[in-house]
Amino acid sequence: MLRLNPGGMYAIGVHLDPAVTTFVVLDLVGAVVQHSRIRTPGGNDPAAVISTMATEIEHLVAESGVDTTRIAGLGLAAPGPIDLDNGTVVDPPLLPGWDRVELRDALAKATGYSVLVDKDVTSAAVAETWAGGPSGSGSFIFMYMGTGIGCGIVLNDEVVRGTSGNAGEIGHIVVDPDGPVCDCGLRGCVKSSAIPQVLVAEAVAAGILDGSGKRTSGAEVQQSFSQLCDLADAGDAKALAIIDKSAVLVARAVSVVTNTLDVERVVFGGPFWSRIADRYLEKVRRWWTPTVRPA
Ligand SMILES: [Zn+2]
């Protein structure tokens, strides 16, 4: 019998999120050998972030004790939209100054490793097919609950990237026709009514979160959203109402996507998911109307 030798080769994974950047060293079977997490540097300076990433990667590899000649390369999950062909990040939300940053080439130059860039939602879907067990096979969507909302798509065990690498941009599905105006001009898109930044603003308007801070960076939004979730966990009625309403809105978007693609499963994840999982799973199940299949 043949088996993969886990220590035969290694890879580095980086997840760039506006709030937190996560680094891992993985062995050949995908097990995490070493990991670290840093607050994503703020400001409008992608070059500084790339330099910080390179330093962190160097430390992480050194700590892992892995021989650098056995590292096959580096995979980077970045917020969309991206330009897959050029490895470019195109104006992602809450990362001011990141307009068409050639992240793949810059990180390759800074680290010396070959680099692949994929959209965060797609990377999550790929990870699910590798490590999700039974939930990572067949046809499913991966609802990515991060700074924004997107979905990774897997159909018949194939990850769907789309022609430009940006499949799964579901942010402009209208889920609340009377909701706030979105930057696209429509009202009540899921991205203008149910992402953490919006929920935090609702909590400020409801008087349950302090409204003095600007909350323009990913880290600030994450911190405030965490406070909102703490209030909901403690039973604050206004906080619970905000979270529950957002769950219903997200469920409407999920319903549109699942009916369009005729998938058998919805997997939720992403950096903000664990804080809202309990409330969402209750609401989404009630709202999700799966496609009716012939008997
Ligand atoms: Zn919109």
Side-chain angles (χ1 to χ4, degrees), residues 171-172 182-186 189 191-192:
H172 295 291
C182 178
D183 56 18
C184 73
L186 296 172
C189 295
K191 74 163 269 197
S192 69

Side-chain angles (χ1 to χ4, degrees), residues 42-238:
N44 301 354
D45 189 0
V49 176
I50 291 162
S51 161
T52 304
M53 277 181 179
T55 307
E56 186 65 24
I57 289 162
E58 200 184 329
H59 288 162
L60 190 73
V61 171
E63 279 167 20
S64 74
V66 168
D67 178 356
T68 51
T69 60
R70 288 191 179 265
I71 294 178
L74 189 159
L76 177 88
I82 62 164
D83 175 342
L84 193 62
D85 289 341
N86 293 312
T88 306
V89 177
V90 185
D91 197 20
L94 285 184
L95 282 170
W98 285 70
D99 185 18
R100 297 208 165 265
V101 174
E102 293 184 347
L103 193 52
R104 183 187 62 200
D105 294 351
L107 200 57
K109 200 171 158 199
T111 62
Y113 297 111
S114 60
V115 176
L116 282 176
V117 172
D118 222 335
K119 201 163 81 155
D120 46 15
V121 298
T122 308
S123 305
V126 171
E128 193 66 20
T129 64
W130 281 36
S135 78
S137 64
S139 298
F140 66 92
I141 59 165
F142 188 105
M143 285 295 296
Y144 183 92
M145 311 301 288
T147 306
I149 292 179
C151 80
I153 302 165
V154 176
L155 296 177
N156 302 322
D157 295 316
E158 292 273 341
V159 177
V160 176
R161 286 191 169 75
T163 51
S164 71
N166 287 294
E169 289 282 333
I170 60 166
H172 295 291
I173 293 178
V174 174
V175 291
D176 181 8
D178 301 319
V181 176
C182 178
D183 56 18
C184 73
L186 296 172
R187 273 189 179 277
C189 295
V190 68
K191 74 163 269 197
S192 69
S193 40
I195 62 170
Q197 198 176 10
V198 174
L199 306 188
V200 165
E202 286 178 7
V204 170
I208 54 172
L209 278 188
D210 169 29
S212 56
K214 280 192 302 186
R215 298 189 181 91
T216 48
S217 76
E220 287 159 346
V221 170
Q222 188 192 41
Q223 199 181 11
S224 301
F225 186 66
S226 186
Q227 287 168 356
L228 170 61
C229 294
D230 288 343
L231 288 169
D233 288 347
D236 183 289
K238 287 178 180 170

